[in-house]
Amino acid sequence: MGRAAAAGGGAGGALRWFPWLGLCFWAAGAAAARGTDSGEVLPESIPSAPGTLPHFIEEPDDAYIIKSNPIALRCKARPAMQIFFKCNGEWVHQNEHVSEESLDESSGLRVREVFINVTRQQVEDFHGPEDYWCQCVAWSHLGTSKSRKASVRIAYLRKNFEQDPQGREVPIEGMIVLHCRPPEGVPAAEVEWLKNEEPIDSEQDENIDTRADHNLIIRQARLSDSGNYTCMAANIVAKRRSLSATVVVYVNGGWSSWTEWSACNVRCGRGWQKRSRTCTNPAPLNGGAFCEGMSVQKITCTSLCPVDGSWEVWSEWSVCSPECEHLRIRECTAPPPRNGGKFCEGLSQESRNCTDGLCILDKKPLHEIKPQRWSRRGIENASDIALYSGLGAAVVAVAVLVIGITLYRRSQSDYGVDVIDSSALTGNSLLLNSAMQPDLTVSRTYSGPICLQDPLDKELMTESSLFNPLSDIKVKVQSSFMVSLGVSERAEYHGKNHSGTFPHGNNRNFSTVHPRNKTPYIQNLSSLPTRTELRTTGVFGHLGGRLVMPNTGVSLLIPHGAIPEENSWEIYMSINQGEPSLQSDGLEVLLSPEVTCGPPDMIVTTPFALTIPHCADVSSEHWNIHLKKRTQQGKWEEVMSVEDESTSCYCLLDPFACHVLLDSFGTYALTGEPITDCAVKQLKVAVFGCMSCNSLDYNLRVYCVDNTPCAFQEVVSDERHQGGQLLEEPKLLHFKGNTFSLQISVLDIPPFLWRIKPFTACQEVPFSRVWCSNRQPLHCAFSLERYTPTTTQLSCKICIRQLKGHEQILQVQTSILESERETITFFTQEDSTFPAQPGPKAFKIPYSIRQRICATFDTPNAKGKDWQMLAQKNSINRNLSYFATQSSPSAVILNLWEARHQHDGDLDSLACALEEIGRTHTKFSNITESQLDEADFNYSRQNGL
C-alpha cells in the first residue's frame, strides 16, 4: 500500500481511498469523481470484487433541444453503486447529477437511476468534430459498464422549400407526378400531402402513392383528382406549407354515334336529309379539346311527287246495240295516277240512245209492233208528254217575266234615278255616300266588364269579341253598317258611352258620345287607318357598322369585312306591326316580333349578328324555343332549335333578347313551345289615363303586352295620339302557361270623392287571349266619376294577377289637371340618336386591338384552340362546332360580344376574361378616349379613308 502510494506520488498521482467504494485504487489527482472543474478523472475500472457488472436498464436517448428549453438525459442500471455522465469525453460535475436509488425486489440487487440536464448554451458552446454527446458510466463491485452515446442537437426547420410542387394539366387516365423537397431541418421533416386542404391517405386509395422520396404519384388520373395540392412538411419544431399546385384533369371531347337519317324535308321534289351527332362521348371538360369534324351531315334526297290521274279523250261511239244504245269509254291514263296521286273524277263509260226514238223492239220496227203492246206503252208516253208540256210552259212564262222587267227598267232610266227600296236608303246610307255621317240610332246598355283586344285592329270587332253576354244588355239594330255603344248604370241612361269601347285605328278618340249630339262617332271600315311597319335603312361598306331600330331592341351588326371592298349596300331592317303572318300551331306561341332585314340577294363573307327581343322567361326545362324564317312563298320553316347543334347559324339566348349569327337576309321570328305548365311569358303591364269630354269622368286603361320594347312602343305611340298619360312605371308580370285566366281590378278608390261603375271594378281575361295574344295590345278600360269638379287628385291601386300565379300592383297617384301632372318617361333614348352607325365608331373594341386578339387566340396550341377558352370566358359554352367552321373563330366570337354589349360596352369584363386566360394583360378599361380615337384614326389612314 505504501509503495503504491509512493509510486503514485512519484508519477503525479496517488492511491486514493474511496470510502463509498470501500477500496483503494490509483487516481490521477486529488479530486477524482469530482467533475471536470478540478481536472479529476474517474477510473475506467475498479479492482475485481465479488458480484456482477452493472447492467443498464435504461440508456440515454438522442435528444433535440427545442428553442431554449433544456433536455433531460436519463439512465438506469443494476447493480450499480454509482452512475456518472460523461459528455464529449469529460465527466459531468457531481452536483449536476440527480440520482435515485432503489432495490429490485425480485433479484435483491441495487438499482440506481441518474439524470442530468443539457442546455442550449452548452450545445452551442461545443465545437467538436461531431455532435454533442453524453454517455453513462456505472460502477459495481465487479467493475464498470458504459451506456450508448446519446447525441444532443438543436432542433430547427427552415422556412423555404427546396422544391415546391408545380401545377399540371393532364388528360384523363394520365399519370400525375408532383415533386416536393421539404425545407432543411433537424430532425428531418416528415412530408404530408393535402388536397383542397384535406389530408391524402394513400393507404385508402391504391391509385395514389406518397412514399417515393416525398413525391405524390397518381398512377391514373381521374376527374375527381382535379384540385389544389399542397405539400406539408413538419418536425418537432414547426410546420411549413408549400405553394399550392393546381392539377386539372381534362377530357378531350369525343363524338357520339350518328343519329338515323331524318326524313326528307320536302314531300315532293328535291330536298335534303340530315343526321347529327354531339360532342358528348365524352363531352369536353376542364378545357379539353372540342371534337374535330362536323356535328351535322346533310345529303340530298328526292321524293317522288304524287301525280293525279287525268282522263284520256272519249273513244268513238260504239255500234248501236239491240237495246237501242251505243257506248263510248275513256281511260284514266293521261297520265295515270302515280305515287299516291288521286284517281280521275267522273265516269269512265257513257251511254245514250242511238235511234232518236225510232228504237227497234224485239228486232222489229215500231210500226210492226202489235196494237195491244202499243196501247200499253202509249199510256206511259202520254204521261211523259204532259210533263214535258208543263215544263215548257213554265220556261216561257219566266222568259216573258224577265223581258217585261227589263223593258220596265229601261223606261224608268229616262228619269236618271235608280229605284231603291226606302228601307235601303235609311239602312245603307254609308254605301250611297261615304262622306255622309249616319245618325246614331243604336245604343247598348250594359254593366259588365269592358275588355278589348288590340284597339288598333283594322276591322270592327264583332259583339261577341267585345262583350260577354249579360242579362241586362239591350240592343236596338236599325242598320248593320252603324253601331253605337253606350254605358250607364241603369237602362235609362242609354246615351252615355264608355271610353275605350271602340276598336278604332290610330286616330281613336276616347271621349264620351252624348245622345243629343248628332255628329256620329263612327268610322266605316274603309276609313280605318292601317298600321305601318317600322323601318330603318343605312348604307354600309367594307368597314361594316350597326343598324338600330330605335326603342325596339332590334339591331343588326355588320362585321368588318363582311361586305367586299369597293362595294356598298343600302341595308334595311323592318318590324311587322300588322297581323303576324306566322300563325301558331297547337301550343306554339310567338315570342318576338317578325323582323325583316335585307336586301335578300346580298351575300356576306362573314356572319352578321341580328338581335331580336323576346318575352320568354328563358329556361330550357320549360321552353322549347325555335328560330323560324319566312320563305319566298310566304310559308314559315324552322331554321333551328335554340338548343340544337348546327353549323349553319348560331343562336345565343339572353334573358331579354336572342342574338343570331346568320349568313343570309330574310324575315325571322322566335317561337316557343311550352314543355311544362311552369313555362312563363313575361308581360309588361302599364296604366294610362286621360280626361273624357264629361269633366266629371276620368278613364283608366290598363295594358298587358308582351315584354318586348317594340310591343310597348305601339301602345305608347297610340296613347300619345290620344293625349294619354302614363300614370305609373310599367312592371313585369310573369304569366304562366297553366291555363288560368288574368284578373284586373281597381282597388282603394277614395270614397266620397270618386266612384266606379257598378260591376266593373274587376275584369277577367281568358287565358287563351293573353297567352296567344301575338303581340297585339290587350287592354281593359275602367271609367271613374268624380262627385264634384273640385276633386283634382286621384289615388287608387290597379291589381293585375293570374289566378294561382304572379301578381303586380300599380299604384296610381296623379292629378287630373294637365298642368300638375308628373311626366313619366316612356323610353330611354339611348339608341334613337343614330339609327345607322357605319364604320369603326359602331364597334366598342378598336380595330387594332381586335386584330391582336384574333391573332392571339386563333393560333392553336398543344391543348386545342385558344378561341375555345375565349368563348367559355364569355359564357359561350354550346354549339362550339359552329365557330370551328369559321375562318377566324375569335372574330365571330367578338362579333357576338359586340351584339350583346351594344349598350354597355363593358370592355372591363372582356379584359378580365383575357387576363384569366393568361394570354394578355391589356386592361381595356385603361384605354382613354384619345387612345381609341388614335387607334381609329390610324386604322382609317391605313385603309385610305
Side-chain angles (χ1 to χ4, degrees):
M1 206 43 95
R3 282 195 309 272
L15 285 173
R16 299 292 296 168
W17 173 255
F18 291 92
W20 49 275
L21 286 177
L23 295 173
C24 179
F25 59 90
W26 182 262
R34 292 295 186 267
T36 60
D37 293 342
S38 59
E40 299 173 351
V41 178
L42 293 179
E44 297 295 331
S45 63
I46 60 175
S48 300
T52 60
L53 290 173
H55 172 69
F56 284 96
I57 301 174
E58 180 179 351
E59 296 183 87
D61 292 327
D62 295 340
Y64 299 93
I65 295 178
I66 302 175
K67 297 182 179 179
S68 298
N69 300 321
I71 56 97
L73 296 179
R74 186 186 306 270
C75 66
K76 183 189 294 186
R78 68 180 179 193
M81 299 178 63
Q82 191 59 272
I83 301 176
F84 282 95
F85 272 92
K86 178 186 290 186
C87 293
N88 301 319
E90 296 181 358
W91 293 100
V92 179
H93 197 279
Q94 181 180 359
N95 294 338
E96 298 178 11
H97 290 73
V98 178
S99 63
E100 295 178 358
E101 185 175 322
S102 62
L103 186 66
D104 189 352
E105 296 179 358
S106 61
S107 62
L109 298 177
R110 180 181 298 173
V111 177
R112 183 171 292 274
E113 181 178 5
V114 178
F115 66 89
I116 64 172
N117 288 330
V118 179
T119 65
R120 182 185 184 97
Q121 188 64 39
Q122 290 174 326
V123 177
E124 289 179 346
D125 291 343
F126 173 71
H127 301 285
E130 54 186 354
D131 293 333
Y132 189 99
W133 59 269
C134 291
Q135 184 181 38
C136 283
V137 180
W139 283 270
S140 70
H141 292 288
L142 187 59
T144 62
S145 295
K146 297 180 181 179
S147 70
R148 65 178 293 274
K149 289 182 180 181
S151 63
V152 179
R153 305 175 67 184
I154 298 175
Y156 68 92
L157 183 63
R158 305 208 180 276
K159 292 184 178 181
N160 297 327
F161 277 73
E162 295 183 3
Q163 182 179 3
D164 287 305
Q166 301 296 319
R168 296 183 180 277
E169 295 183 359
V170 296
I172 194 168
E173 296 185 355
M175 177 177 286
I176 303 174
V177 179
L178 298 180
H179 298 281
C180 176
R181 292 177 62 187
E184 178 186 352
V186 174
E190 295 182 358
V191 171
E192 180 184 21
W193 284 91
L194 304 179
K195 175 189 174 185
N196 298 331
E197 304 302 325
E198 295 292 334
I200 296 176
D201 189 355
S202 59
E203 294 182 358
Q204 295 183 358
D205 192 343
E206 297 180 352
N207 194 38
I208 298 177
D209 185 5
T210 58
R211 297 170 296 178
D213 195 20
H214 307 308
N215 297 330
L216 174 66
I217 300 175
I218 302 178
R219 297 181 179 88
Q220 288 186 330
R222 302 156 295 192
L223 287 176
S224 59
D225 292 328
S226 296
N228 296 321
Y229 288 82
T230 307
C231 181
M232 180 74 72
N235 64 4
I236 60 176
V237 180
K239 291 184 178 180
R240 301 284 187 260
R241 290 172 58 96
S242 70
L243 298 177
S244 294
T246 301
V247 173
V248 177
V249 180
Y250 62 86
V251 179
N252 292 325
W255 289 114
S256 65
S257 300
W258 288 102
T259 62
E260 296 294 332
W261 288 104
S262 65
C264 197
N265 69 321
V266 295
R267 297 181 57 188
C268 172
R270 186 179 180 85
W272 50 263
Q273 293 174 278
K274 70 175 182 179
R275 65 175 183 174
S276 61
R277 58 179 179 176
T278 58
C279 190
T280 56
N281 187 32
L285 292 174
N286 300 332
F290 196 80
C291 303
E292 297 289 340
M294 302 292 293
S295 62
V296 177
Q297 283 186 345
K298 290 185 178 181
I299 58 174
T300 58
C301 58
T302 302
S303 299
L304 297 177
C305 297
V307 178
D308 295 338
S310 181
W311 291 112
E312 290 279 2
V313 297
W314 286 101
S315 65
E316 297 293 333
W317 288 103
S318 65
V319 179
C320 194
S321 67
E323 288 77 18
C324 305
E325 291 181 342
H326 58 177
L327 303 175
R328 65 175 182 177
I329 61 174
R330 58 179 178 176
E331 294 181 352
C332 187
T333 58
R338 296 192 303 271
N339 306 325
K342 296 180 181 179
F343 196 79
C344 302
E345 296 182 358
L347 299 176
S348 61
Q349 177 177 307
E350 189 178 54
S351 64
R352 71 179 182 183
N353 189 280
C354 55
T355 61
D356 294 330
L358 300 177
C359 185
I360 296 177
L361 297 180
D362 298 331
K363 299 181 180 181
K364 295 181 179 180
L366 290 176
H367 60 276
E368 296 180 3
I369 299 176
K370 294 182 180 180
Q372 63 273 17
R373 190 172 182 180
W374 165 254
S375 63
R376 185 173 63 252
R377 294 185 59 86
I379 296 174
E380 298 176 358
N381 293 335
S383 62
D384 292 341
I385 293 173
L387 175 61
Y388 294 148
S389 300
L391 291 175
V395 170
V396 171
V398 171
V400 171
L401 180 61
V402 170
I403 293 172
I405 292 175
T406 302
L407 295 176
Y408 177 76
R409 289 179 61 85
R410 289 183 178 178
S411 64
Q412 295 296 328
S413 63
D414 296 335
Y415 296 98
V417 177
D418 289 339
V419 179
I420 302 175
D421 186 80
S422 60
S423 62
L425 289 173
T426 60
N428 295 333
S429 58
L430 288 178
L431 293 181
L432 295 177
N433 188 355
S434 61
M436 295 177 59
Q437 299 290 347
D439 190 9
L440 297 181
T441 58
V442 179
S443 63
R444 179 189 297 273
T445 301
Y446 65 93
S447 60
I450 309 167
C451 194
L452 287 83
Q453 175 87 21
D454 189 9
L456 299 178
D457 282 344
K458 299 176 183 178
E459 298 180 354
L460 292 172
M461 290 186 174
T462 61
E463 296 174 3
S464 60
S465 66
L466 285 172
F467 305 101
N468 295 325
L470 300 174
S471 59
D472 58 344
I473 290 182
K474 297 183 179 181
V475 182
K476 299 179 181 179
V477 179
Q478 179 172 344
S479 170
S480 61
F481 296 90
M482 296 181 293
V483 177
S484 175
L485 303 178
V487 180
S488 70
E489 299 180 32
R490 296 182 300 275
E492 59 266 30
Y493 296 104
H494 289 199
K496 196 169 189 177
N497 200 345
H498 194 287
S499 69
T501 59
F502 294 93
H504 304 298
N506 290 334
N507 297 321
R508 289 184 302 172
N509 188 350
F510 292 97
S511 59
T512 304
V513 178
H514 298 277
R516 299 185 184 90
N517 187 1
K518 296 302 180 180
T519 303
Y521 183 77
I522 193 65
Q523 300 176 15
N524 65 26
L525 191 60
S526 62
S527 67
L528 289 175
T530 60
R531 297 179 188 168
T532 59
E533 64 177 12
L534 290 175
R535 183 183 178 92
T536 185
T537 61
V539 178
F540 299 92
H542 183 67
L543 298 181
R546 192 189 303 268
L547 189 62
V548 178
M549 189 78 70
N551 295 327
T552 63
V554 178
S555 64
L556 181 67
L557 182 75
I558 307 297
H560 178 277
I563 301 176
E565 293 188 20
E566 300 180 357
N567 287 350
S568 62
W569 287 84
E570 182 179 11
I571 298 177
Y572 63 86
M573 187 168 58
S574 63
I575 299 176
N576 177 23
Q577 287 191 295
E579 186 68 23
S581 61
L582 198 162
Q583 301 299 325
S584 301
D585 297 332
L587 298 177
E588 191 177 45
V589 294
L590 186 64
L591 298 177
S592 74
E594 297 174 3
V595 179
T596 301
C597 53
D601 56 345
M602 176 180 170
I603 299 176
V604 294
T605 59
T606 302
F608 61 89
L610 178 63
T611 299
I612 306 176
H614 66 82
C615 62
D617 190 353
V618 180
S619 175
S620 59
E621 299 178 357
H622 307 309
W623 281 105
N624 188 10
I625 299 178
H626 307 274
L627 176 67
K628 291 195 173 183
K629 180 180 180 181
R630 188 171 62 190
T631 62
Q632 295 181 353
Q633 291 75 23
K635 297 181 179 180
W636 287 85
E637 62 180 14
E638 180 178 334
V639 179
M640 68 174 295
S641 175
V642 173
E643 298 298 326
D644 283 350
E645 297 276 340
S646 174
T647 57
S648 59
C649 65
Y650 186 89
C651 287
L652 181 61
L653 201 62
D654 279 347
F656 298 102
C658 181
H659 310 282
V660 189
L661 295 177
L662 301 164
D663 54 10
S664 62
F665 290 96
T667 302
Y668 296 90
L670 289 176
T671 63
E673 182 179 357
I675 301 175
T676 67
D677 289 346
C678 296
V680 171
K681 248 181 99 173
Q682 293 182 342
L683 302 179
K684 180 170 287 187
V685 294
V687 57
F688 290 80
C690 70
M691 290 292 296
S692 64
C693 291
N694 188 337
S695 61
L696 295 180
D697 286 350
Y698 191 78
N699 299 319
L700 294 178
R701 294 180 295 281
V702 181
Y703 289 85
C704 299
V705 297
D706 292 349
N707 184 33
T708 57
C710 49
F712 188 61
Q713 188 186 34
E714 295 181 34
V715 175
V716 170
S717 177
D718 182 62
E719 286 290 337
R720 279 175 175 168
H721 284 88
Q722 310 308 321
Q725 174 73 22
L726 182 64
L727 304 181
E728 172 68 355
E729 288 287 346
K731 294 185 178 180
L732 286 184
L733 180 73
H734 299 286
F735 192 79
K736 290 186 177 180
N738 54 10
T739 71
F740 288 100
S741 59
L742 185 71
Q743 282 187 350
I744 305 175
S745 55
V746 181
L747 308 174
D748 298 343
I749 299 176
F752 309 111
L753 297 177
W754 293 86
R755 66 176 179 178
I756 191 171
K757 307 301 181 185
F759 310 109
T760 62
C762 181
Q763 305 182 25
E764 186 166 337
V765 185
F767 169 82
S768 59
R769 292 182 62 186
V770 181
W771 187 256
C772 302
S773 61
N774 290 336
R775 298 187 299 106
Q776 303 303 322
L778 172 71
H779 86 269
C780 292
F782 300 89
S783 180
L784 306 180
E785 184 178 2
R786 295 178 292 171
Y787 283 96
T788 62
T790 59
T791 302
T792 61
Q793 298 293 324
L794 173 62
S795 174
C796 64
K797 293 180 180 179
I798 308 294
C799 178
I800 304 100
R801 62 182 290 265
Q802 183 185 18
L803 299 180
K804 297 185 179 181
H806 190 216
E807 175 181 316
Q808 281 289 9
I809 299 293
L810 297 177
Q811 181 69 51
V812 176
Q813 184 74 40
T814 185
S815 172
I816 64 174
L817 300 179
E818 185 174 358
S819 60
E820 299 180 5
R821 292 179 186 170
E822 294 184 2
T823 303
I824 300 177
T825 305
F826 295 128
F827 294 103
T828 58
Q829 302 297 326
E830 58 185 3
D831 58 356
S832 60
T833 307
F834 301 104
Q837 304 174 21
K841 289 296 184 182
F843 303 96
K844 307 298 180 181
I845 306 175
Y847 183 73
S848 58
I849 296 178
R850 178 188 179 94
Q851 282 183 315
R852 291 201 297 269
I853 294 176
C854 295
T856 301
F857 288 99
D858 284 342
T859 305
N861 60 18
K863 201 167 69 69
K865 294 284 187 178
D866 275 353
W867 59 263
Q868 297 179 20
M869 303 181 195
L870 181 64
Q872 292 173 1
K873 291 299 181 182
N874 285 279
S875 302
I876 302 174
N877 302 312
R878 185 188 53 79
N879 195 12
L880 295 182
S881 58
Y882 172 82
F883 300 97
T885 61
Q886 305 298 323
S887 59
S888 176
S890 301
V892 180
I893 293 172
L894 293 180
N895 293 339
L896 192 57
W897 184 93
E898 290 274 4
R900 298 178 72 184
H901 299 85
Q902 60 174 311
H903 298 305
D904 54 31
D906 191 5
L907 291 174
D908 188 65
S909 65
L910 179 60
C912 290
L914 298 177
E915 287 179 354
E916 289 180 10
I917 298 174
R919 298 301 299 269
T920 180
H921 298 285
T922 302
K923 192 71 173 176
F924 281 17
S925 60
N926 294 332
I927 298 176
T928 63
E929 291 296 330
S930 61
Q931 290 174 315
L932 293 180
D933 294 339
E934 182 180 358
D936 292 340
F937 173 75
N938 292 336
Y939 172 71
S940 301
R941 184 174 59 184
Q942 293 171 4
N943 289 273
L945 299 178

